[in-house]
Amino acid sequence: MKLAVIIPTLGRSEQVARLLGYLGGQTRLPDEVILSAPDATHIELPDHCPFSVSSVFGPKGLAAQRNTALVPSLGRFDIITFFDDDFVPSARYLEQIEQAFAGNDGWAVVMGRVVKDGATNAGLTWDDAEAALRNSEGRETTGPSVVDHVGAYGCNMSFRASLIGDLRFDERLVLYGWQEDIDFTSQMRSRGRVVCVTSITGVHLGIKTGRVSGKRFGYSQVANAIYLIRKGTVPASFALPLMFRNITANLAKSLWPEPYVDRRGRLVGNALAILHIAMGRIEPEYILKI
């Protein structure tokens, strides 16, 4: 099976170079790595890669950058894997992804288990990631080895390319594209199972550079959830609890916010989105005006 890795990136050229170098240690090398960025200033290549690396350029925004690389990849590869530029996969990650698809014809989307996630804290270093991966090796996980999901976590998700068809990431979810991964992969459930294989592992560094402002992100936390419920692609039973948890966290922590999270900005964004929704205005793109 031919396998491509697509890495959307913005403002993290040194991180991209390090990740490319690291991918050279995979037990199953990618047939091609495709970097998707607004322009060449966002990309830095290592001195040597044992696999083909190409770049595509287009509009800024996670959903748009995913599409810019996805469209020309269809028909060329059997498996398309998306990594965030701050995701560190275990050495056997791509080998195990290939085995997962080869052994399960009914699987449409496969994601690995994130053993440590810097998105939930101040962020992780490469040393943190490598230590976490070493610690997870050989450890048995509790619970089933294959878990069905509503959608996949966008930092690491792989697709059976033949099932994608005309499905595209929703470019109305602009900039950081909050929940664009769940929107896309939940639609793939009509074409096959969306699963997490817990033996496939990686670490999400959660690097904070390149993110949108707190106010913009807070607006997306509410507006995108309601938009996707109205669109019919994400069930309210998933989107609403997530939205309310985020609002509650922003409210509770706004008095003593973490130094790495703009809780007050997020809360202002939440409130603005709630006001707009009350007025019947559901417009994810509004964050471009903030």
Side-chain angles (χ1 to χ4, degrees), residues 90 113 115 131-141 201-203:
S90 60
R113 176 171 58 94
V115 297
L133 290 173
R134 284 195 301 271
N135 290 338
S136 69
E137 288 177 3
R139 288 191 178 183
E140 292 186 7
T141 58
T201 59
V203 173

Side-chain angles (χ1 to χ4, degrees), residues 80-256:
I80 296 175
T81 295
F82 282 93
F83 285 153
D84 278 5
D85 58 13
D86 59 349
F87 181 78
V88 182
S90 60
R92 294 186 60 232
Y93 188 102
L94 295 180
E95 175 191 348
Q96 290 176 284
I97 284 291
E98 183 175 43
Q99 291 171 350
F101 280 112
N104 300 277
D105 291 341
W107 290 6
V109 183
V110 178
M111 63 175 170
R113 176 171 58 94
V114 178
V115 297
K116 202 165 188 179
D117 193 351
T120 63
N121 53 43
L124 303 172
T125 67
W126 274 85
D127 288 342
D128 294 331
E130 290 169 356
L133 290 173
R134 284 195 301 271
N135 290 338
S136 69
E137 288 177 3
R139 288 191 178 183
E140 292 186 7
T141 58
T142 58
S145 59
V146 176
V147 182
D148 286 273
H149 280 258
V150 169
Y153 189 6
C155 69
N156 82 113
M157 55 185 180
S158 299
F159 300 90
R160 191 181 299 278
S162 62
L163 297 181
I164 293 175
D166 59 357
L167 187 60
R168 299 293 181 266
F169 291 89
D170 190 339
E171 296 187 24
R172 289 195 65 186
L173 306 176
V174 294
L175 300 182
Y176 187 55
W178 178 245
Q179 298 300 298
E180 102 296 336
D181 48 1
I182 300 296
D183 172 53
F184 186 94
T185 55
S186 66
Q187 294 178 78
M188 289 289 290
R189 283 189 295 126
S190 65
R191 308 174 188 197
R193 288 176 68 185
V194 176
V195 301
C196 174
V197 179
T198 59
S199 61
I200 304 175
T201 59
V203 173
H204 184 213
L205 299 181
I207 295 174
K208 301 301 185 269
T209 58
R211 299 293 180 97
V212 298
S213 72
K215 187 175 179 181
R216 283 177 162 179
F217 190 66
Y219 190 93
S220 295
Q221 286 179 320
V222 174
N224 289 15
I226 301 302
Y227 168 72
L228 294 175
I229 292 169
R230 288 281 298 271
K231 183 180 172 183
T233 56
V234 177
S237 59
F238 175 88
L240 288 180
L242 176 64
M243 183 184 78
F244 287 125
R245 282 197 304 271
N246 287 327
I247 294 172
T248 300
N250 295 335
L251 184 61
K253 297 179 181 181
S254 61
L255 293 177
W256 295 279

